[in-house]
Amino acid sequence: MCKFDPPNFNTPPFTPFNMKHFTLLLLLLTFFCRAQEIKVIRGPYLQNFTPNSGVVRWRTDIAANSQVIYGNSPSQLNQSVKDENLLTEHEVEIKNLSPGKKYFYAIISAGTKVGGDETHYFNTVPKAGSTKPVRIWALGDFGNSSKNQADVRDAMFNATKTHKPDAWIWMGDNAYSNGKEEEYQNHVFRVYQDTFFKNLPVWPSPGNHDYAGKHNPALPPYFKIFTMPTKGENGGLPSGTESFYSFNYGNVHLISLDSEAMETDSSYLYNENGKQAAWLKKDLEANKLPWTIVYWHKPPYSKASHDSDTEIWMYKVRENITPILEKYKVDLVICGHSHGYERNHPMVGHTGKSATYDAAVHKKANEVAPNQYVVKKGEGQGTIYIVNGSGGQLGGKQKDYPLKSSVYSNVTEGGSMLIDVVNKKLNAQWICADGVVRDMFSIEKK
Ligand SMILES: [Fe+2]
């Protein structure tokens, strides 16, 4: 790239004196050229994938052009998308891909190439309604660079070596303590780049730490770092905002909500007539897929490090939002915020405090064997609410822990969830930091 035409040595006056200067100049130029070598300092990471498209992002230390080359094998990256604008934040959308297909890729900025090996690949999303198996990794409250965070990551990496997840969903509090750029860099990208970011699309939701305790979606770096669907790019009703959104994977409809944002109508998630609740109702109404998973940060039911009986963000969402979810037969609700794991019975109508839970009234489960639920057509079902907030942070419980509605709770082990949906069956596991699976359940739809 750096070109230098050497002087003509045969042309006088060329003397030993200016030869010395020339050598010095050459050395300086070599140093300058090396210093200009572009470095990829974040990514590549995968965003907003659909059956036919996807976005690859990365960051360079110096502004440069962007190119993604891709194809059917690492040695056949024969397709290319290029952007000649000089940028440090690279965001390349690849279009005209085939659904449910694996592609290998490499990124290139000004001659610096990353990828082009077996570990740099992306899978496009199976078509909505396809019964192709879908594997989802759900992770909450993780970005603190703790040993627990690394152990939870390694446990999931080892558990999925031969069958990788298709989608990665986050329960919020992704980067401690204030969701700053450098905190995302140190506690998130540094930790997962080599293992997951380069081949697993992430569908995040934000927590109070990502908002630095505030409620204005214009502030958090989270919204600049990630590319969320706002127009229903991957199915679901367009939300018109990156704060909350929905998308499809095969026969699973997923919804990411935002328990932190004050929306443009000054409402929060917990306001039953707020902007988010209104969109949620319409999105659920429009959904025709057999499985629905909804996730966000602050849970409606918890007795771990936070108390859903006393904290307004939690009990108001329980009172105002869980009836909407249950009306539309949402299968799983996964939250974080509390730094433990808490799984409840399939429930309907339990909007009061923990002590008011009455299995005879609220439990709605056809449990054919322990933790194996069968939902028969026309019989209705309960929603299973889970706190999954020990992906990095860990511990803390209320005096009256666990919830009266709890099937299984644990605040001493860190972990994260692996969810497999294969046609009419859903299997979920809670895989702990030491690799042990301490909770499992399944739902079958007949
Ligand atoms: Fe939180």
Side-chain angles (χ1 to χ4, degrees):
M1 291 177 309
C2 281
K3 284 183 183 164
F4 180 78
D5 294 325
N8 187 346
F9 288 89
N10 300 321
T11 310
F14 197 85
T15 66
F17 176 77
N18 56 24
M19 178 69 185
K20 219 157 127 189
H21 279 90
F22 166 66
T23 311
L24 194 64
L25 186 65
L26 202 64
L27 277 170
L28 277 170
L29 272 171
T30 308
F31 176 78
F32 177 74
C33 288
R34 287 224 175 114
Q36 287 300 298
E37 241 172 49
I38 303 290
K39 284 195 192 76
V40 174
I41 54 171
R42 173 179 292 177
Y45 58 109
L46 309 177
Q47 301 276 272
N48 208 5
F49 268 69
T50 79
N52 303 108
S53 65
V55 173
V56 182
R57 294 188 62 167
W58 68 97
R59 175 181 288 177
T60 49
D61 59 344
I62 297 164
N65 64 353
S66 321
Q67 187 181 13
V68 177
I69 53 172
Y70 61 99
N72 293 332
S73 77
S75 58
Q76 274 191 312
L77 306 181
N78 47 13
Q79 289 168 283
S80 167
V81 182
K82 204 168 183 181
D83 178 356
E84 289 299 350
N85 289 310
L86 301 182
L87 308 158
T88 54
E89 292 297 324
H90 305 268
E91 189 168 354
V92 174
E93 187 180 13
I94 307 169
K95 293 176 181 170
N96 302 317
L97 299 168
S98 299
K101 191 180 161 184
K102 185 174 185 176
Y103 294 85
F104 294 87
Y105 75 98
I107 56 166
I108 304 170
S109 279
T112 296
K113 180 176 161 187
V114 174
D117 57 26
E118 290 287 339
T119 69
H120 286 80
Y121 61 84
F122 54 76
N123 288 296
T124 51
V125 177
K127 267 188 186 166
S130 150
T131 54
K132 204 173 169 180
V134 172
R135 175 164 264 203
I136 298 161
W137 176 22
L139 179 67
D141 302 70
F142 47 91
N144 62 357
S145 289
S146 61
K147 183 177 183 302
N148 184 43
Q149 182 188 13
D151 289 347
V152 169
R153 173 201 62 197
D154 293 345
M156 188 55 67
F157 187 76
N158 292 331
T160 58
K161 258 187 179 154
T162 55
H163 179 182
K164 299 282 187 185
D166 301 295
W168 189 10
I169 59 174
W170 290 356
M171 277 74 250
D173 283 1
N174 313 317
Y176 286 90
S177 289
N178 291 303
K180 289 180 185 166
E181 248 300 328
E182 61 268 29
E183 291 169 333
Y184 267 97
Q185 187 69 15
N186 295 331
H187 305 322
V188 182
F189 286 98
R190 183 188 62 79
V191 178
Y192 303 104
Q193 186 58 51
D194 294 338
T195 41
F196 290 105
F197 268 123
K198 58 190 175 181
N199 50 40
L200 181 62
V202 58
W203 304 87
S205 74
N208 49 301
H209 285 273
D210 302 299
Y211 269 81
K214 298 186 171 67
H215 304 286
N216 179 357
L219 300 175
Y222 168 89
F223 291 101
K224 290 193 181 72
I225 297 171
F226 301 106
T227 308
M228 282 72 90
T230 60
K231 302 176 197 142
E233 290 92 324
N234 187 19
L237 195 75
S239 65
T241 168
E242 289 193 305
S243 158
F244 54 88
Y245 59 92
S246 65
F247 57 103
N248 297 329
Y249 261 81
N251 58 6
V252 189
H253 184 60
L254 294 114
I255 302 175
S256 171
L257 299 176
D258 183 343
S259 56
E260 311 311 310
M262 186 170 80
E263 302 296 345
T264 47
D265 62 348
S266 301
S267 69
Y268 294 103
L269 169 62
Y270 63 61
N271 291 117
E272 59 199 301
N273 297 314
K275 190 178 168 187
Q276 209 166 166
W279 170 84
L280 177 65
K281 283 177 212 164
K282 281 190 205 154
D283 180 82
L284 287 167
E285 182 81 51
N287 173 39
K288 298 287 177 262
L289 296 179
W291 296 100
T292 310
I293 298 173
V294 186
Y295 59 99
W296 71 90
H297 187 58
K298 287 176 176 160
Y301 304 95
S302 180
K303 284 285 177 185
S305 59
H306 289 277
D307 189 342
S308 56
D309 281 354
T310 58
E311 296 179 37
I312 187 169
W313 299 91
M314 297 162 76
Y315 69 75
K316 275 201 163 252
V317 94
R318 182 176 68 246
E319 291 167 0
N320 296 334
I321 302 302
T322 65
I324 302 170
L325 303 170
E326 290 161 13
K327 181 184 172 191
Y328 292 100
K329 299 183 173 48
V330 167
D331 299 288
L332 296 184
V333 169
I334 311 175
C335 297
H337 193 48
S338 253
H339 299 151
Y341 177 82
E342 299 169 277
R343 173 168 67 92
N344 295 289
H345 292 286
M347 301 192 296
V348 169
H350 176 36
T351 52
K353 291 184 176 184
S354 175
T356 67
Y357 175 76
D358 179 352
V361 177
H362 304 122
K363 186 175 170 183
K364 184 118 185 166
N366 176 20
E367 196 169 4
V368 294
N371 305 314
Q372 291 179 29
Y373 307 105
V374 170
V375 177
K376 289 183 184 160
K377 222 173 187 175
E379 280 191 6
Q381 67 178 108
T383 298
I384 299 177
Y385 295 91
I386 298 167
V387 169
N388 174 40
S390 58
Q393 296 284 44
L394 178 60
K397 60 182 180 183
Q398 307 303 311
K399 275 190 217 129
D400 50 352
Y401 165 93
L403 290 159
K404 203 179 165 194
S405 50
S406 166
V407 182
Y408 178 81
S409 294
N410 187 324
V411 292
T412 56
E413 313 281 342
S416 64
M417 292 181 74
L418 187 62
I419 300 157
D420 283 293
V421 179
V422 183
N423 197 6
K424 294 290 179 72
K425 191 151 186 192
L426 180 152
N427 281 299
Q429 309 174 62
W430 182 53
I431 300 175
C432 294
D434 57 3
V436 175
V437 177
R438 289 191 170 79
D439 186 41
M440 283 177 87
F441 64 93
S442 68
I443 311 170
E444 194 171 357
K445 295 198 173 179
K446 297 252 178 171

